[in-house]
Structure formats: structure tokens, C-alpha cells
Amino acid sequence: MSYAREDAGAPPSLFPDYGSTRTRAPLQPPLRVPQTRTETTGPAGWDRLMGPSLADLTTQHGGVPQGQRIIVTGRVLDEDGRAVPDTVMEIWQANAAGRYIHGKDQWDAPHDPNFTGAGRVVTDAEGRYRFVTVRPGAYPWGNHRNAWRPAHIHLSLLGPAFATRLVTQLYFPDDPLIEIDPIANAVPMPYRQRMVARFDMDVTEPNWALGYRFDVVLKGREQTPFEEDDHDH
Amino acid sequence: MTIDVADRRPEPRVDNQDPALFGQTPSQTVGPFFHYGLPWKGGADLVGQSDMGARPELFPEAHYVLNQSSPTGTPVGAVIELTGRVLDGQGAPVPDAMIEIWQADAAGRYAGEPGSDPHFVGFGRAATAEDGSYRFRTILPGAIGAGHAPHVALSVFGRGLIKRLATRLYFDGQAGNEADPVLSAVPVERRATLIATASGDGVWTLDIALQGERETVFFDL
Ligand SMILES: [Fe+3]
């Protein structure tokens, strides 16, 4: 058993419009190596590792955070459409004004004492997850003159194996900054749209929160091993 | 026939839910501000209950919402430290990177496999310090089978890294390095970029060069 390699939607490591990649992206092509149990196994017992679920980012402090309350929900699947149950999704984001709680964020928008912006959910048996947060604001960054990141939520998933590890960003459907953002643009069209959540009235709750649907698709299993399977197991 | 106003829905768009686009979610960078969201206190200590791995000085204490590692028991095996620096293409340290490790227990079994050490999770996470250094406390992994050399799988994340970089750390002088199916797939002249060197007291050092002359070998997984 092994896991699929990346598909046509994968971005390159070097994307010069995103300036930091110029000195940080490897210049050698990644080396294709056989997968062993090291790549096809992965950590389990996420709560023992990372602590209990933090699914509501709007109730972590004494008061209600500023901004538009939203629900984000969906499923974690593999590329064959199979649910990925019991896997952790970690999220972190800026507040409604586009400011991170991080000390090195120099953007002059207000902090919100009632909002940290970090959470963690685990998928159920059908791969479903759900969290409640506020919609993050766009923020400026130093990549080029008048550079603004589209509003986004950072997502980190372990998946079932070392080979399926994924960190990505969720974007919002009504954001004109996506099509000119160098980080989103590293993903070619139309695959870039895989990172754009769908506004969904069936997730939206009356008099409470707008709803967005976002499925995360991890690498699938391949039945034909690349070179040789591990002989010992 | 009219649709009741409460049942109206926006037209579907070309987005995450479009069946024609179904496929792997693309990777994006962790950016520079992940420290309050990912590396928890103790994430880099797979043996004890220290605070290793986090950078809590980078954000206000009231906003630390991550795990505090809890006592579980001591894993079997020789305690070691894995350390080194993450360097960019100009040799400058990378202070906003994050390393994850995944490794077998002392008997070569991964967490979750039958008979694996119940006190060893095998997974760790460490943010790099201002000098680009990372540090893990763990145990020396056993070989995962005949013909395999002991190794630790590494993932590197950071600002400027659109994709996770996957590599392995091997141990200088260990039996099996020559025959290992992954290490021997690496061109001879680049193998040293994956082999940690011992500096006494169980400390193993391996620098990770993201780019440049001694660029670490990263894998296509
Ligand atoms: Fe961001």
C-alpha cells in the first residue's frame, strides 16, 4: 500500500511572485523514493497529543469577539471520496480586523482581547467537522507595494499517514483579492477554486451565524506500489 | 411556480463544492504567524513533560490555548536529542519555520501498530528559534524491518514554503545505512544531507538547508 503523489492542482515550491520562496524553496526537484511504513502510518490519539477539541473560537475568553460570526463545516475525504474519520484539523486565523494575536504582526489594526483565533476539531466517523469563528479580515503584507492577503483561515491536517500531511488556507467566495494574491496564485486555475469555500444557506443559522461549506481532500491510497512494498508486513 | 423566499439559494459557483473540481486540496504556506496555533508546549519532548517545542513568548500569555503535555509514562529506549538549524539559500537561519517528526519506537513499531510502546506517540512538533535552531527530545528509533536503517521522518513548514517539505534523518554509523531502501535511492554525493552526526551525550545534529549547495534532499511523497 502506498499513497498517491500530488495531482495537477499542486503548486510549485518556487513561485517568485511570492518573494520569500526565492531564497527558501528547494531548487532541486523532489526525489521520488519508495514509500515504506514510515510514510503509510501516522499519529493517532490526537487529543493525547494536542489536547481537547476547541471547536468554538468565539467563546474562548470573557466576552464575544468583534466581527461576523460564521460556521465553517464540511468533510475530510480522500481523493477516492472515502471519509477520513478521527483526524485532527487545526485552524488559526487573524481577527475580524485582519490582525493576528502574534507579536510580530505589525499591522496597525486593533487586537481583540476576546479573540485568539486558534482552534482544533476532529472529524467524526463520516469525516465531518464543524467549527464556529468570526470571519477574518484581509491584511496588508510586505511582499510588494500595496500587497493585501485575501481573508483566509489557515488549516492544518494530519490525515491517516505521514504521506497525507496537509497545510492549506480557506478563502471566501466574495473576495476579489484571491485572483491577485501571489500565495493563492501559486495554485494554477481552475484548481485554485478548490480552496474557496461555498456560502451555504443550509449551514447558515437564523439570527445567529452565516455558514460556509468546505471539504478537504487528502491524497488517496494506491493499490499498485511504486517500487516494492515493505516485505516484513 | 414560485419558490418561497426563505427557500431561495444563490447559484452554485466554481468553488470547493464543484464536483468537476474534486481532487486534492492544494497546499499553502503556514505563513509567519502560526506560533499561537500549532506548536504546543511539550510538542518537541517525546520522552518527558518539558515545555520544549513552543514559542509562547511570541504572543500574550492569555492567548495560549494549546495543549500542555500531560504525564503518560516513560517510553522504552535510549533517550536522544535531535537538533540543528534550518537555513535558507543564503545560509541565513530561518526563525519562522516548524519541524515535525514521525518515528518508530525502540522496537521499530509505529504508534498504533500491534505491540507498539504505549508510552511513545512517535510524533513531535517544534518551532524554530530566532537562530533557526530546532530541538527534539526523543528516543533512538529501532529499525522498522530487515534491510531498513533507523530513521526519523521530518516535515518542514515555514513562511515562504508553499508546500510541506518531507525528508528523513538517519544516524551516522548505524548498521543498515548502506542497505536502506530510501537512503540508497539518494545520489551518493547528497546522502550526507540526511545523516545526523553524533556530538556525544546522545545529541544528534543535522542542519536542514532549504536551498543552495548543500541543499537537503526532499522527497516527492
Ligand atoms: Fe495568514
Side-chain angles (χ1 to χ4, degrees), chain A residues 100 139 149 152 154:
Chain A
Y100 285 97
Y139 59 81
R149 289 302 326 282
H152 59 276
H154 294 270

Side-chain angles (χ1 to χ4, degrees), chain B residues 116-151:
Chain B
S116 61
D117 184 340
H119 300 302
F120 192 63
V121 294
F123 180 80
R125 186 182 279 173
T128 57
E130 287 306 305
D131 65 355
S133 65
Y134 68 90
R135 199 161 66 91
F136 289 93
R137 203 153 76 99
T138 183
I139 54 117
L140 188 69
I144 62 168
H148 292 265
H151 62 271

